[in-house]
Amino acid sequence: MINKKINKFAEGDKIEGCFMIKSIEIKASANKKKYVDLILSDDSGEINSKYWDYNEGMESIYNAFTVIKVRGTVISYMNNLQFKIDKFRNVDEKDNISVEDFVPVAPIKAEDMLEEIEGYLNRVENKDAKNIVSLIIENKKDKLMYYPAAMKNHHSIKSGLLYHTLTMLRLGEKIQEVYPSLNKDLLFSGIILHDLAKIEEMESTNLGIVTEYTLEGKLLGHITQGIKDIEEAGANVQADKEIVMLLEHMVLSHHYEPEYGSPKKPMIKEAEMLHYIDKIDATMFDLNKSLSKTEKGEFTESIWTLDRRRIYNPKNI
């Protein structure tokens, strides 16, 4: 038995260690036999796990966001790694662990990321755009410090929403240097605003783990909620109507396709760039996450956000 991080798991590994339950559910197999389906996580990633020897009442003993000690084997199922649990128990004081050690966190401190984002905002010269963004950030600041950017996919880590926003701003800055005809004020403001309403779309613990989508999230989604935020903030700061509309359009169109939630495609070049910057940043996060779990000379697991493609990790580069 060995103890290693989830992103280093390999098929055939015999594992014994402590991991956090991200989700737990009692399910039934094809032959009606109950089993425990879990997502286990640590600060390097997560893995789907199965415990087949279900005992009645287990669901009242083991809860999400608690840490358990487990023993089992890493297997491959449909080209993805899965953890087959043989034994598990709740941790006790002798295990000497902290829950926060098992949560993936953005690689930059939240306070530092917010300060850098506010630095970009200070470079916005249009006072209406700056006032709108400043007001919305102020209203969401407390939750923004720990919120992820998604439940399962890109930037689903503690402070992931800040990290996604910051890396997009850094990329947007470089693109604007290459294409100076892009309006910096619109581009920076749109990047900061585009996903902020995810704070209302999802319920998250202060560990950055999404527990469920809110009623507003299910019925409206973050794009519609983001439009409402801009409309309200624009009215409060008495902003020019066209500025309000342009910022709303950037949020409205950043998913590009109706099936992904955008009823309009971009109609200004800054909105077009916002879409591609968002896509690049999300894709790179998911690629790096999968490649970090893949040995040199091997292919990643199927990546859902890349149409379930598997990506090769070059051996000699």
Side-chain angles (χ1 to χ4, degrees):
M1 289 288 173
I2 57 175
N3 185 6
K4 60 164 68 172
K5 294 290 187 180
I6 287 174
N7 68 339
K8 299 299 182 184
F9 279 14
E11 184 179 358
D13 281 349
K14 303 288 185 181
I15 301 292
E16 181 175 273
C18 296
F19 303 95
M20 190 179 73
I21 299 174
K22 194 168 183 180
S23 68
I24 182 168
E25 189 176 354
I26 308 303
K27 295 184 176 180
S29 61
N31 63 5
K32 309 299 183 185
K33 182 180 178 182
K34 289 184 177 181
Y35 67 94
V36 187
D37 185 75
L38 309 96
I39 300 294
L40 295 182
S41 69
D42 62 17
D43 60 356
S44 74
E46 61 186 49
I47 189 168
N48 179 251
S49 310
K50 312 287 186 189
Y51 181 73
W52 297 100
D53 297 323
Y54 171 76
N55 294 314
E56 204 67 42
M58 290 183 80
E59 59 269 40
S60 64
I61 301 174
Y62 300 97
N63 302 299
F65 319 126
T66 58
V67 179
I68 58 174
K69 188 164 188 177
V70 301
R71 177 183 292 177
T73 305
V74 180
I75 63 172
S76 179
Y77 178 71
M78 297 182 67
N79 290 323
N80 289 312
L81 292 181
Q82 191 178 90
F83 189 47
K84 180 179 177 292
I85 299 173
D86 297 323
K87 297 175 65 176
F88 69 104
R89 64 166 174 81
N90 280 320
V91 296
D92 54 36
E93 290 183 3
K94 289 181 289 186
D95 293 305
N96 193 29
I97 59 94
S98 169
V99 173
E100 291 200 351
D101 294 335
F102 297 86
V103 179
V105 181
I108 307 171
K109 289 183 179 180
E111 295 79 8
D112 294 340
M113 289 191 287
L114 182 60
E115 182 178 354
E116 190 171 342
I117 289 168
E118 289 175 337
Y120 279 98
L121 181 56
N122 287 335
R123 292 165 58 189
V124 173
E125 296 174 18
N126 183 281
K127 66 177 181 63
D128 289 334
K130 180 185 286 187
N131 288 340
I132 288 170
V133 179
S134 297
L135 180 58
I136 293 174
I137 285 181
E138 187 60 35
N139 290 338
K140 301 176 188 286
K141 186 177 289 186
D142 290 345
K143 290 184 176 181
L144 184 57
M145 301 304 284
Y146 61 84
Y147 247 70
M151 176 181 274
K152 292 182 179 178
N153 297 318
H154 75 88
H155 299 85
S156 55
I157 57 177
K158 185 179 180 183
S159 306
L161 183 53
L162 274 175
Y163 187 51
H164 179 45
T165 303
L166 177 57
T167 48
M168 283 181 63
L169 283 167
R170 290 173 174 177
L171 179 56
E173 179 181 26
K174 298 303 179 184
I175 289 175
Q176 200 268 337
E177 289 176 4
V178 177
Y179 302 107
S181 66
L182 289 167
N183 183 279
K184 169 177 57 64
D185 292 354
L186 282 178
L187 188 61
F188 288 0
S189 298
I191 288 172
I192 295 170
L193 291 172
H194 84 286
D195 271 352
L196 280 183
K198 284 189 172 183
I199 289 174
E200 286 74 46
E201 184 179 43
M202 306 178 297
E203 291 286 358
S204 173
T205 70
N206 59 11
L207 294 172
I209 299 171
V210 175
T211 56
E212 62 179 345
Y213 282 88
T214 63
L215 180 61
E216 292 94 335
K218 292 172 183 174
L219 294 180
L220 301 177
H222 72 277
I223 289 179
T224 301
Q225 290 170 297
I227 300 301
K228 290 170 60 181
D229 286 345
I230 295 168
E231 189 79 23
E232 183 178 333
N236 284 338
V237 301
Q238 298 181 318
D240 176 81
K241 287 187 177 180
E242 186 183 58
I243 295 297
V244 173
M245 199 180 309
L246 290 172
L247 294 177
E248 288 177 329
H249 177 71
M250 293 190 73
V251 172
L252 187 72
S253 63
H254 81 271
H255 279 187
Y256 213 77
E257 302 288 355
E259 55 266 37
Y260 297 130
S262 283
K264 291 285 186 181
K265 286 191 175 180
M267 294 182 183
I268 57 174
K269 56 189 174 184
E270 291 78 15
E272 186 81 10
M273 282 301 101
L274 171 60
H275 164 70
Y276 289 114
I277 291 168
D278 186 26
K279 188 171 180 62
I280 289 170
D281 194 61
T283 299
M284 286 303 298
F285 184 90
D286 286 343
L287 280 171
N288 288 333
K289 179 180 177 182
S290 292
L291 287 167
S292 72
K293 300 184 288 184
T294 306
E295 296 293 332
K296 292 282 189 179
E298 301 291 336
F299 282 86
T300 66
E301 299 175 359
S302 300
I303 303 175
W304 185 83
T305 51
L306 271 68
D307 301 319
R308 300 191 180 279
R309 277 181 286 143
R310 300 174 68 202
I311 304 299
Y312 182 64
N313 194 6
K315 187 181 296 185
N316 299 314
I317 295 179

PDB file of all heavy atoms in Angstrom, residues 6 31 40 48 65 68 89 93 148 179 194 201 204 212 260-261 265 274 301 308 317:
ATOM      1  N   ILE A   6      -3.766  12.323  -5.660  1.00  0.00           N
ATOM      2  CA  ILE A   6      -4.681  11.786  -6.663  1.00  0.00           C
ATOM      3  C   ILE A   6      -4.152  12.005  -8.075  1.00  0.00           C
ATOM      4  O   ILE A   6      -4.296  11.137  -8.940  1.00  0.00           O
ATOM      5  CB  ILE A   6      -6.091  12.398  -6.483  1.00  0.00           C
ATOM      6  CG1 ILE A   6      -6.755  11.800  -5.230  1.00  0.00           C
ATOM      7  CG2 ILE A   6      -6.965  12.159  -7.713  1.00  0.00           C
ATOM      8  CD1 ILE A   6      -8.082  12.426  -4.864  1.00  0.00           C
ATOM      9  N   ASN A  31     -28.058  -5.301 -10.969  1.00  0.00           N
ATOM     10  CA  ASN A  31     -28.715  -6.404 -10.244  1.00  0.00           C
ATOM     11  C   ASN A  31     -29.377  -5.940  -8.944  1.00  0.00           C
ATOM     12  O   ASN A  31     -29.681  -6.751  -8.075  1.00  0.00           O
ATOM     13  CB  ASN A  31     -27.716  -7.520  -9.962  1.00  0.00           C
ATOM     14  CG  ASN A  31     -26.576  -7.068  -9.053  1.00  0.00           C
ATOM     15  OD1 ASN A  31     -26.582  -5.936  -8.554  1.00  0.00           O
ATOM     16  ND2 ASN A  31     -25.608  -7.940  -8.847  1.00  0.00           N
ATOM     17  N   LEU A  40     -13.824  11.422  -4.406  1.00  0.00           N
ATOM     18  CA  LEU A  40     -12.805  11.726  -3.411  1.00  0.00           C
ATOM     19  C   LEU A  40     -11.850  12.774  -3.977  1.00  0.00           C
ATOM     20  O   LEU A  40     -11.559  12.778  -5.170  1.00  0.00           O
ATOM     21  CB  LEU A  40     -12.020  10.459  -3.035  1.00  0.00           C
ATOM     22  CG  LEU A  40     -12.807   9.358  -2.330  1.00  0.00           C
ATOM     23  CD1 LEU A  40     -11.875   8.200  -1.981  1.00  0.00           C
ATOM     24  CD2 LEU A  40     -13.498   9.874  -1.074  1.00  0.00           C
ATOM     25  N   ASN A  48     -13.414   9.559  -9.198  1.00  0.00           N
ATOM     26  CA  ASN A  48     -14.636   8.807  -8.910  1.00  0.00           C
ATOM     27  C   ASN A  48     -14.259   7.511  -8.203  1.00  0.00           C
ATOM     28  O   ASN A  48     -13.302   6.822  -8.590  1.00  0.00           O
ATOM     29  CB  ASN A  48     -15.389   8.506 -10.204  1.00  0.00           C
ATOM     30  CG  ASN A  48     -16.658   7.710  -9.952  1.00  0.00           C
ATOM     31  OD1 ASN A  48     -16.745   6.545 -10.283  1.00  0.00           O
ATOM     32  ND2 ASN A  48     -17.639   8.344  -9.342  1.00  0.00           N
ATOM     33  N   PHE A  65     -17.689  16.671   2.348  1.00  0.00           N
ATOM     34  CA  PHE A  65     -16.784  17.660   2.935  1.00  0.00           C
ATOM     35  C   PHE A  65     -16.186  17.199   4.255  1.00  0.00           C
ATOM     36  O   PHE A  65     -15.683  17.999   5.032  1.00  0.00           O
ATOM     37  CB  PHE A  65     -17.457  19.031   3.093  1.00  0.00           C
ATOM     38  CG  PHE A  65     -18.306  19.403   1.911  1.00  0.00           C
ATOM     39  CD1 PHE A  65     -19.635  19.753   2.077  1.00  0.00           C
ATOM     40  CD2 PHE A  65     -17.786  19.353   0.630  1.00  0.00           C
ATOM     41  CE1 PHE A  65     -20.425  20.068   0.988  1.00  0.00           C
ATOM     42  CE2 PHE A  65     -18.576  19.660  -0.463  1.00  0.00           C
ATOM     43  CZ  PHE A  65     -19.892  20.020  -0.284  1.00  0.00           C
ATOM     44  N   ILE A  68     -11.947  11.130   5.064  1.00  0.00           N
ATOM     45  CA  ILE A  68     -11.927   9.727   5.457  1.00  0.00           C
ATOM     46  C   ILE A  68     -10.568   9.111   5.144  1.00  0.00           C
ATOM     47  O   ILE A  68      -9.823   9.611   4.302  1.00  0.00           O
ATOM     48  CB  ILE A  68     -13.029   8.906   4.735  1.00  0.00           C
ATOM     49  CG1 ILE A  68     -12.868   9.016   3.216  1.00  0.00           C
ATOM     50  CG2 ILE A  68     -14.412   9.351   5.190  1.00  0.00           C
ATOM     51  CD1 ILE A  68     -13.825   8.124   2.431  1.00  0.00           C
ATOM     52  N   ARG A  89     -12.871   4.662   6.696  1.00  0.00           N
ATOM     53  CA  ARG A  89     -13.369   5.099   8.009  1.00  0.00           C
ATOM     54  C   ARG A  89     -13.195   6.595   8.123  1.00  0.00           C
ATOM     55  O   ARG A  89     -12.414   7.214   7.382  1.00  0.00           O
ATOM     56  CB  ARG A  89     -12.605   4.407   9.145  1.00  0.00           C
ATOM     57  CG  ARG A  89     -11.119   4.758   9.193  1.00  0.00           C
ATOM     58  CD  ARG A  89     -10.484   4.334  10.502  1.00  0.00           C
ATOM     59  NE  ARG A  89      -9.044   4.520  10.545  1.00  0.00           N
ATOM     60  CZ  ARG A  89      -8.427   5.680  10.796  1.00  0.00           C
ATOM     61  NH1 ARG A  89      -9.143   6.781  11.019  1.00  0.00           N
ATOM     62  NH2 ARG A  89      -7.100   5.738  10.836  1.00  0.00           N
ATOM     63  N   GLU A  93      -8.351  12.164  15.608  1.00  0.00           N
ATOM     64  CA  GLU A  93      -7.295  13.102  15.988  1.00  0.00           C
ATOM     65  C   GLU A  93      -5.898  12.547  15.700  1.00  0.00           C
ATOM     66  O   GLU A  93      -4.977  13.290  15.364  1.00  0.00           O
ATOM     67  CB  GLU A  93      -7.416  13.454  17.471  1.00  0.00           C
ATOM     68  CG  GLU A  93      -8.633  14.315  17.805  1.00  0.00           C
ATOM     69  CD  GLU A  93      -8.670  14.687  19.273  1.00  0.00           C
ATOM     70  OE1 GLU A  93      -7.723  14.315  20.000  1.00  0.00           O
ATOM     71  OE2 GLU A  93      -9.641  15.350  19.683  1.00  0.00           O
ATOM     72  N   PRO A 148     -15.391  29.157  -6.567  1.00  0.00           N
ATOM     73  CA  PRO A 148     -14.845  28.552  -7.781  1.00  0.00           C
ATOM     74  C   PRO A 148     -15.547  29.139  -9.003  1.00  0.00           C
ATOM     75  O   PRO A 148     -16.534  29.868  -8.871  1.00  0.00           O
ATOM     76  CB  PRO A 148     -15.204  27.076  -7.609  1.00  0.00           C
ATOM     77  CG  PRO A 148     -16.517  27.119  -6.866  1.00  0.00           C
ATOM     78  CD  PRO A 148     -16.415  28.306  -5.927  1.00  0.00           C
ATOM     79  N   TYR A 179      -3.154  43.912 -30.869  1.00  0.00           N
ATOM     80  CA  TYR A 179      -4.252  44.532 -31.626  1.00  0.00           C
ATOM     81  C   TYR A 179      -4.727  45.780 -30.880  1.00  0.00           C
ATOM     82  O   TYR A 179      -5.748  45.758 -30.179  1.00  0.00           O
ATOM     83  CB  TYR A 179      -5.406  43.543 -31.804  1.00  0.00           C
ATOM     84  CG  TYR A 179      -5.005  42.260 -32.500  1.00  0.00           C
ATOM     85  CD1 TYR A 179      -4.895  41.070 -31.779  1.00  0.00           C
ATOM     86  CD2 TYR A 179      -4.724  42.243 -33.861  1.00  0.00           C
ATOM     87  CE1 TYR A 179      -4.521  39.893 -32.401  1.00  0.00           C
ATOM     88  CE2 TYR A 179      -4.349  41.069 -34.497  1.00  0.00           C
ATOM     89  CZ  TYR A 179      -4.238  39.901 -33.766  1.00  0.00           C
ATOM     90  OH  TYR A 179      -3.858  38.734 -34.393  1.00  0.00           O
ATOM     91  N   HIS A 194     -17.688  39.002 -16.872  1.00  0.00           N
ATOM     92  CA  HIS A 194     -18.358  37.948 -17.639  1.00  0.00           C
ATOM     93  C   HIS A 194     -18.875  36.787 -16.793  1.00  0.00           C
ATOM     94  O   HIS A 194     -19.897  36.201 -17.112  1.00  0.00           O
ATOM     95  CB  HIS A 194     -17.442  37.449 -18.764  1.00  0.00           C
ATOM     96  CG  HIS A 194     -16.458  36.399 -18.359  1.00  0.00           C
ATOM     97  ND1 HIS A 194     -15.337  36.673 -17.607  1.00  0.00           N
ATOM     98  CD2 HIS A 194     -16.433  35.064 -18.599  1.00  0.00           C
ATOM     99  CE1 HIS A 194     -14.662  35.552 -17.417  1.00  0.00           C
ATOM    100  NE2 HIS A 194     -15.307  34.554 -18.000  1.00  0.00           N
ATOM    101  N   GLU A 201     -25.303  32.031  -9.155  1.00  0.00           N
ATOM    102  CA  GLU A 201     -25.741  30.834  -9.887  1.00  0.00           C
ATOM    103  C   GLU A 201     -25.527  29.561  -9.076  1.00  0.00           C
ATOM    104  O   GLU A 201     -26.279  28.601  -9.209  1.00  0.00           O
ATOM    105  CB  GLU A 201     -24.977  30.732 -11.212  1.00  0.00           C
ATOM    106  CG  GLU A 201     -25.415  29.580 -12.097  1.00  0.00           C
ATOM    107  CD  GLU A 201     -24.649  29.528 -13.399  1.00  0.00           C
ATOM    108  OE1 GLU A 201     -23.415  29.723 -13.379  1.00  0.00           O
ATOM    109  OE2 GLU A 201     -25.267  29.301 -14.450  1.00  0.00           O
ATOM    110  N   SER A 204     -21.771  27.660  -2.864  1.00  0.00           N
ATOM    111  CA  SER A 204     -20.445  27.124  -2.600  1.00  0.00           C
ATOM    112  C   SER A 204     -20.118  27.218  -1.117  1.00  0.00           C
ATOM    113  O   SER A 204     -20.493  28.186  -0.442  1.00  0.00           O
ATOM    114  CB  SER A 204     -19.394  27.903  -3.400  1.00  0.00           C
ATOM    115  OG  SER A 204     -18.082  27.508  -3.040  1.00  0.00           O
ATOM    116  N   GLU A 212     -24.579  22.853  -4.915  1.00  0.00           N
ATOM    117  CA  GLU A 212     -25.727  22.767  -5.802  1.00  0.00           C
ATOM    118  C   GLU A 212     -25.861  24.081  -6.568  1.00  0.00           C
ATOM    119  O   GLU A 212     -25.204  25.073  -6.251  1.00  0.00           O
ATOM    120  CB  GLU A 212     -27.014  22.514  -5.011  1.00  0.00           C
ATOM    121  CG  GLU A 212     -27.362  23.628  -4.033  1.00  0.00           C
ATOM    122  CD  GLU A 212     -28.658  23.366  -3.271  1.00  0.00           C
ATOM    123  OE1 GLU A 212     -29.409  22.479  -3.698  1.00  0.00           O
ATOM    124  OE2 GLU A 212     -28.911  24.059  -2.275  1.00  0.00           O
ATOM    125  N   TYR A 260     -25.287  27.078 -25.645  1.00  0.00           N
ATOM    126  CA  TYR A 260     -24.443  27.276 -24.470  1.00  0.00           C
ATOM    127  C   TYR A 260     -24.885  28.487 -23.650  1.00  0.00           C
ATOM    128  O   TYR A 260     -24.181  28.893 -22.715  1.00  0.00           O
ATOM    129  CB  TYR A 260     -22.979  27.428 -24.872  1.00  0.00           C
ATOM    130  CG  TYR A 260     -22.415  26.196 -25.553  1.00  0.00           C
ATOM    131  CD1 TYR A 260     -21.732  26.294 -26.756  1.00  0.00           C
ATOM    132  CD2 TYR A 260     -22.584  24.932 -25.002  1.00  0.00           C
ATOM    133  CE1 TYR A 260     -21.222  25.160 -27.393  1.00  0.00           C
ATOM    134  CE2 TYR A 260     -22.086  23.799 -25.622  1.00  0.00           C
ATOM    135  CZ  TYR A 260     -21.405  23.918 -26.821  1.00  0.00           C
ATOM    136  OH  TYR A 260     -20.909  22.796 -27.438  1.00  0.00           O
ATOM    137  N   GLY A 261     -26.016  29.074 -24.003  1.00  0.00           N
ATOM    138  CA  GLY A 261     -26.595  30.120 -23.166  1.00  0.00           C
ATOM    139  C   GLY A 261     -26.526  31.529 -23.705  1.00  0.00           C
ATOM    140  O   GLY A 261     -27.006  32.459 -23.052  1.00  0.00           O
ATOM    141  N   LYS A 265     -24.719  36.318 -30.792  1.00  0.00           N
ATOM    142  CA  LYS A 265     -23.284  36.202 -31.016  1.00  0.00           C
ATOM    143  C   LYS A 265     -22.657  37.594 -30.909  1.00  0.00           C
ATOM    144  O   LYS A 265     -23.341  38.605 -31.049  1.00  0.00           O
ATOM    145  CB  LYS A 265     -23.009  35.589 -32.387  1.00  0.00           C
ATOM    146  CG  LYS A 265     -23.294  34.092 -32.442  1.00  0.00           C
ATOM    147  CD  LYS A 265     -22.766  33.462 -33.712  1.00  0.00           C
ATOM    148  CE  LYS A 265     -22.967  31.950 -33.668  1.00  0.00           C
ATOM    149  NZ  LYS A 265     -22.449  31.292 -34.897  1.00  0.00           N
ATOM    150  N   LEU A 274     -13.424  38.546 -26.112  1.00  0.00           N
ATOM    151  CA  LEU A 274     -13.779  37.999 -24.803  1.00  0.00           C
ATOM    152  C   LEU A 274     -14.125  36.518 -24.913  1.00  0.00           C
ATOM    153  O   LEU A 274     -13.679  35.701 -24.100  1.00  0.00           O
ATOM    154  CB  LEU A 274     -14.968  38.770 -24.204  1.00  0.00           C
ATOM    155  CG  LEU A 274     -15.593  38.178 -22.935  1.00  0.00           C
ATOM    156  CD1 LEU A 274     -14.576  38.099 -21.804  1.00  0.00           C
ATOM    157  CD2 LEU A 274     -16.814  38.997 -22.517  1.00  0.00           C
ATOM    158  N   GLU A 301      -6.645  10.990 -19.627  1.00  0.00           N
ATOM    159  CA  GLU A 301      -8.004  10.473 -19.643  1.00  0.00           C
ATOM    160  C   GLU A 301      -8.826  11.310 -20.630  1.00  0.00           C
ATOM    161  O   GLU A 301      -8.402  12.384 -21.062  1.00  0.00           O
ATOM    162  CB  GLU A 301      -8.627  10.579 -18.245  1.00  0.00           C
ATOM    163  CG  GLU A 301      -7.894   9.791 -17.176  1.00  0.00           C
ATOM    164  CD  GLU A 301      -8.477  10.012 -15.794  1.00  0.00           C
ATOM    165  OE1 GLU A 301      -9.445  10.797 -15.668  1.00  0.00           O
ATOM    166  OE2 GLU A 301      -7.976   9.407 -14.842  1.00  0.00           O
ATOM    167  N   ARG A 308     -14.336  14.996 -25.148  1.00  0.00           N
ATOM    168  CA  ARG A 308     -13.845  13.719 -24.646  1.00  0.00           C
ATOM    169  C   ARG A 308     -12.572  13.238 -25.347  1.00  0.00           C
ATOM    170  O   ARG A 308     -12.259  12.048 -25.350  1.00  0.00           O
ATOM    171  CB  ARG A 308     -14.937  12.637 -24.727  1.00  0.00           C
ATOM    172  CG  ARG A 308     -16.173  12.987 -23.907  1.00  0.00           C
ATOM    173  CD  ARG A 308     -17.134  11.819 -23.763  1.00  0.00           C
ATOM    174  NE  ARG A 308     -18.297  12.167 -22.978  1.00  0.00           N
ATOM    175  CZ  ARG A 308     -18.343  12.195 -21.656  1.00  0.00           C
ATOM    176  NH1 ARG A 308     -17.265  11.892 -20.963  1.00  0.00           N
ATOM    177  NH2 ARG A 308     -19.451  12.525 -21.018  1.00  0.00           N
ATOM    178  N   ILE A 317       9.793  16.306 -24.419  1.00  0.00           N
ATOM    179  CA  ILE A 317       9.670  17.767 -24.451  1.00  0.00           C
ATOM    180  C   ILE A 317       9.255  18.278 -23.074  1.00  0.00           C
ATOM    181  O   ILE A 317       8.343  17.734 -22.463  1.00  0.00           O
ATOM    182  CB  ILE A 317       8.628  18.217 -25.490  1.00  0.00           C
ATOM    183  CG1 ILE A 317       9.116  17.826 -26.889  1.00  0.00           C
ATOM    184  CG2 ILE A 317       8.396  19.726 -25.416  1.00  0.00           C
ATOM    185  CD1 ILE A 317       8.170  18.199 -28.004  1.00  0.00           C
TER     186      ILE A 317
END
